[in-house]
Amino acid sequence: MNLHVTSQTADGASGAAHPLDPLDALEIAKASSILRQHYPWGDDLRVETIDIAEPDKAAVRGHAPGDAFARIAHYNIYKRGQPGVQQGLIDLRAGTIISEHFNPEARAMVAVAEVLEIEATVKADARFQEALRHRGLIDYLDFMCIDPWTVGDFGHEIEKGRRVLNCFVWMRTFPLDNYYAHPVEGLHVLIDLSNLEVLKVEDHFAEKGDYIPVPVTPLNFDAEVLTSFRPPSAPLDVVQPHGAGFKVDGQRVTWENWDFRVGFNGREGLVLNTVGYTVGGRRRPVLYRASIAEMVVPYGSPERSHYRKNVFDSGEIGFGRMANSLKLGCDCLGVIHYFDAVVPDAFGNPRTIENCICLHEEDAGLSWKHFDVRTERTEVRRARKLVISSISTIGNYEYAFYWYLHQDGRIEYEMKATGIINTAACHPGDPGRYGAEVAPGIVGHIHQHLFSARLDVEIDGPNNTVVECDTIAPPAGPENPYGNAFLVEETVLPTETRAMRDVDFDRMRYWKVINRQAKNWLGGPTGYKLEARSPVKPFTHPDSPSGRRSRFIQHQLWVTPFDPAERFPAGEFVNQSTGEDGIEAWTRKDRPIEDADIVLWHTFGLHHLPRPEDHPVQTCVVCGFALAPIGFFDQNPVIDLPSQTNEASSCAHCA
Ligand SMILES: [Cu+2]
């Protein structure tokens, strides 16, 4: 990042080395200053997004080091106190706005700075204080923790034309206490985020007075508060005495046969750009771009205000904006290269998230082995992988993103979910039908975490085709005389509506992306297989208020022809969306997707009825997928791994 800043050009545009490089701090500051001149809103100007508007693929593919290239910023801004989002493009080199469009129905994503203002406002509200008084909790006013949640679109009159959030309440019992262990059940505050007006304070139990008591058992995780620890384990160090095996040049990374560029933006967070694998001296493209483009967490409880919980932590809040600064030796072990990331704050100032993206190598166990019984020779190779990761905190929860590149051409993705489950209070022993009691008087409601991986593939070039592969057993009879027969049947997915596909255990279904112009040594198309490892059956009704907004969850695979405007599967503006925009609307066009520049959208995730062991903090629960070469290489691509013995390994029981 330092290199970036020092190599800036005199006009204040960046020293970006490549058209896909994320905007740096200077570029974000320049964009903000252009916006402030253009929109006469003074202190009321708020910035949701300033990020790189990615140039045409042809320009990127044709780019050579040293070539001049455009720097265009995409922006979403809004005026405090008014709904709607102003969207546009800025030519950073020319210093001009080149397009603008006002979306009156759009609601900007929610910024942390806004959320932090809410707590004080709610606590000062007389209706809120009155509700606490009724519950005998007014003495704890200072200890109340007010978490606003996005509301979706349930057609409530009071919310129309406003930018609103619905607050849930927890409380501390001492300053470092884990407040999520003390939910104040049934007390909600609806607030207009634009002007911080408290619209409604609702206590579901006020009428009958049949309050669920606040569970008060302390359940903590802060090392300052915990009193007993197990003895530390024996040291386990990741040591690379000669340094890491990767090379980093700006945003470009090369490792083993792989090369790619690290991207980042405030909404998606980590992005991998132009991922290619070099074999026999020839660089072969695999992915043009890969990101987690959306996610939603639908909760299953229709009780009280819990029915509203259907949150899009990416599209409503922003994984990138909420990314952590990672700590060496804690978040990441080994020989680490960190990338900083820069996002705009709510006022358009560049905010650098230091050590935001972690790059390192890990041992990946056994790669391959064979013992030849006749020669009594053993050949064994170990594998290693390159890990590219970042971690985002969204309220009570953490999402840790891990991309893995393997030496053998596989690409894996893991989403590790950790942090604190969303807690509610229940009468001890009676969590109701829609959740599980995780601690006395604390219920974790059933929910799912569904992610959409946007995989802009370019297997051996831009024109790719998706093939569905089903295993079938012919009916017993002449075609299957011994009853043992089974085989794979392949079906090309020709258009968008024919490519809305689900996993099928009965057919051991998988999908592969092939390039029919590129042939392997067997004469077949080269390709990559999508391994859907974490399919999730959605239970949210697709036509319900929450389901309409998250139709991408209804299928594990969607395929669209590349359109630069189609970036987010739940639509460009998700906060309080009604569901008209997004992948279901796009695919209705039923465009052809054969031998075309296509994008795969893979829905995967977690199905989660919380366990007591998920509380007070959940150990990482993992979901993900993999892309594995299938006929991409002519043979095992790591047959050429050198035969080595790890000299640092030692015998634990030998004298
Ligand atoms: Cu969960």
Side-chain angles (χ1 to χ4, degrees), residues 24-33 35-36 45-50 77 113 321 341-353:
D24 63 22
L26 283 170
E27 290 177 306
I28 289 173
K30 183 168 185 184
S32 292
S33 114
L35 290 169
R36 287 188 185 285
L45 188 140
R46 292 289 180 276
V47 170
E48 183 223 73
T49 297
I50 297 174
I77 60 169
R321 305 199 298 174
V342 191
V343 292
D345 70 11
F347 308 97
N349 305 306
R351 178 170 69 86
T352 298
I353 306 168

Side-chain angles (χ1 to χ4, degrees), residues 187-225:
L187 179 57
H188 300 282
V189 181
L190 190 70
I191 189 160
D192 187 330
L193 186 53
S194 299
N195 53 12
L196 291 183
E197 182 190 348
V198 174
L199 302 174
K200 194 163 68 169
V201 175
E202 191 174 18
D203 192 326
H204 288 273
F205 302 109
E207 200 177 321
K208 292 189 185 158
D210 55 345
Y211 298 108
I212 294 175
V214 178
V216 290
T217 308
L219 283 153
N220 283 289
F221 57 89
D222 192 305
E224 287 283 308
V225 177

